[in-house]
Every structure is written in structure tokens, then in C-alpha cells.
Amino acid sequence: MKRILVLTAALLPVFAQPAFARIGVGRVVKMTRDGLKSPLQKAAERGDAKAQYALGNAYSKGQDVSKSDEQAVSWYQKSASQGYAPAQAALGYAYSSGLGVTHDDQQAVSFFQKAANQGLAEAQYSLAIAYYTGRGVTQNYEQASFWFQRSANQGFVPAQFYLGVMYRNGAGIPEDDDRALFWFHKAADKGYADAQYNLGLIYHEGKVVKKDEKQATFWYQQAANQGLVEAEFNLGIAYLKGQGVQKDKDKATFWLEKAADKGDSHAQDVLEMMNK
């Protein structure tokens, strides 16, 4: 009943939204009756690139101003035109998702590239996704691996996981299970559910490392606690069969029902058999 390790393009997410920068400028406020402006807005209008980016974030989130994707993009463009990498990445995300601008994957890649070249980990990751999926650029696994590596080296957790995927599959880089395991552990230790689940599979398989059902179940548990349906299913099976844990039908039922409630047909089938 255990599921095999399947790492394909279908597992890859869409472009990552850049993390908002923390900058020491004033809190965004609306225009007052007296026409007073916040220090942030004043700084943005003076041409401060960081303030322009922060004001774009405020409009994007509707934080103390009326939410407006168009206004967000306008301020991101002002900031990006000055070479500010987080704003360039934010524009890439806007174009990739069609928020405030017409959807345009090629434009998205262009802005991700600019920010990635400046070393922004989130942009490097998004650029890697573009090369992996061929979205807005010609598909190129070598380039995808290159940018995943650059991002992962800076500690960006999703990139660490997907770099493990690339090593596991030998996509754009030589297949290397030891390196895959290294990067999966990096991401799993930081709480990345997909990495935790895949570690569980690796320990269950016993090909890359010595088979260890206790370790497999431990990692399934970590991922299941975050709601990953595949991990919930495998954890339920572990309790049902007593693999790495003491056999416990109640716990098996609990986790299988969790997965079944999310539409997992395998969990639904097992529950049906258990109830016969």
C-alpha cells in the first residue's frame, strides 16, 4: 500500500512570490483631511526605491491603504526601474499571475532574471521553476538546476527541496542519491512538508539509506502534521500494519480519514476494506 517516490514536474509549484522586505521606514497611513502623508509615502514620492517597493507591498496587501494591484505594480515599476531586486521579483510575480498587469510569462522571466542576477534567492528559485517548466522560456533542466543551486545555497527552503528532486531524478545534473538526501534533509529540518514526506519514502525504500521504518514513520508524521495528504495516507498505513510504530487501528483510522476527507481515493478504499 505504500506509495512509491514520484518526483515529477507535476509536483513543482507555480512561481514563488518573493518575501516582503523589512525596511525601516514609517508605517503606511492613508491621506488625512489635512493632506498629510506618511513618511513612507513621502520617501516613495522622493524616489526612494526601498520606500517605493514597500508602498507597492502596502497596496498589494491592502495594508492601511485601499488594496489595489494596479497601484502596487505602479510602485514596483518605479522601484524596479532603479534596479531594486525585490521590486523586480515582485513585478515578475505580478506578470506571472496577472495581478495588476496583463499576464505575460516572458515578462515575468525577464524580471526574475534581473533580480536573480543580483542574488535574490526568491527570484533565483522562480527563475529555476521557469526553466524547469518551460514557462516563459525554453525548458532547460541544466539552467533550472543551476538556479535551484544558487537559491538553495542561500538557504531558501523550497529551492533546497527541489534541488534534491533534481539530484534524485538526474535532471540537468548527474543523478546523485546522496546529494538528494542531503538537500531533502536540509529542507525537512526546516519544516518543508514535501521534503519530510520524501525522506519518509526514502527510509521506507531502503535503497539510498539502510531501510528504517521508524525513521520513515517519523518523517511521515512530520509531514502529516502539516496536512500533506500523501503523508497522512502513509502514516495511516504504518499504524495499520505496525511499520515503525506499534500497530494501532484507531490511529490508522484517524489518519486515513484525514486523507480520505481530502479526496484521497486510496485512503477511501482502505477504510472501506477495514469496515467490512
Side-chain angles (χ1 to χ4, degrees):
M1 261 327 203
K2 291 284 185 180
R3 294 185 186 177
I4 62 171
L5 180 64
V6 178
L7 299 169
T8 68
L11 286 177
L12 290 167
V14 296
F15 295 115
Q17 184 170 9
F20 293 146
R22 295 179 181 176
I23 52 180
V25 293
R27 183 170 179 266
V28 180
V29 297
K30 296 178 181 178
M31 294 286 290
T32 69
R33 293 183 203 172
D34 298 325
L36 297 177
K37 301 177 181 179
S38 71
L40 177 60
Q41 189 161 352
K42 290 179 180 179
E45 291 177 356
R46 286 197 304 269
D48 184 295
K50 290 184 179 180
Q52 291 168 340
Y53 169 65
L55 192 54
N57 286 343
Y59 277 111
S60 177
K61 296 185 290 184
Q63 179 184 319
D64 294 330
V65 292
S66 297
K67 179 176 171 60
S68 171
D69 291 327
E70 290 75 16
Q71 280 292 313
V73 167
S74 176
W75 286 108
Y76 289 149
Q77 288 172 332
K78 289 179 172 65
S79 179
S81 68
Q82 298 188 66
Y84 190 55
Q88 292 169 337
L91 274 179
Y93 179 75
Y95 277 110
S96 72
S97 56
L99 291 174
V101 289
T102 302
H103 177 269
D104 188 329
D105 285 333
Q106 289 184 336
Q107 277 279 48
V109 170
S110 174
F111 281 108
F112 286 141
Q113 183 77 66
K114 290 177 181 179
N117 288 343
Q118 294 192 65
L120 189 67
E122 294 91 338
Q124 293 169 338
Y125 168 74
S126 293
L127 187 58
I129 294 295
Y131 276 114
Y132 191 97
T133 60
R135 183 175 169 185
V137 70
T138 301
Q139 189 177 55
N140 187 317
Y141 289 156
E142 289 77 11
Q143 281 292 305
S145 297
F146 174 81
W147 288 108
F148 278 138
Q149 182 79 65
R150 295 285 290 273
S151 182
N153 287 345
Q154 295 193 68
F156 191 62
V157 177
Q160 293 175 334
F161 169 66
Y162 287 109
L163 184 57
V165 171
M166 302 302 273
Y167 274 116
R168 180 74 164 159
N169 291 341
I173 45 179
E175 185 176 334
D176 188 326
D177 286 334
D178 289 335
R179 297 301 294 170
L181 187 65
F182 172 83
W183 287 109
F184 284 154
H185 264 294
K186 280 275 193 181
D189 289 342
K190 293 175 183 174
Y192 199 75
D194 286 324
Q196 294 168 337
Y197 168 66
N198 278 285
L199 277 180
L201 293 174
I202 287 172
Y203 279 107
H204 170 71
E205 285 180 333
K207 296 178 180 177
V208 180
V209 294
K210 183 179 179 181
K211 187 177 179 70
D212 188 332
E213 292 292 3
K214 286 186 177 180
Q215 276 292 304
T217 303
F218 171 81
W219 288 113
Y220 290 151
Q221 181 78 65
Q222 303 308 304
N225 288 344
Q226 297 190 64
L228 190 67
V229 63
E230 293 87 355
E232 291 171 342
F233 173 80
N234 280 12
L235 185 59
I237 295 299
Y239 276 114
L240 184 64
K241 294 186 174 181
Q243 294 177 328
V245 289
Q246 186 173 348
K247 188 179 293 188
D248 189 320
K249 186 177 179 180
D250 290 338
K251 288 184 178 179
T253 300
F254 174 82
W255 287 109
L256 289 169
E257 286 180 346
K258 283 266 193 183
D261 288 344
K262 294 175 181 173
D264 189 295
S265 60
H266 298 281
Q268 293 165 355
D269 291 343
V270 173
L271 285 169
E272 186 177 345
M273 288 187 290
M274 289 173 65
N275 292 326
K276 284 183 178 179

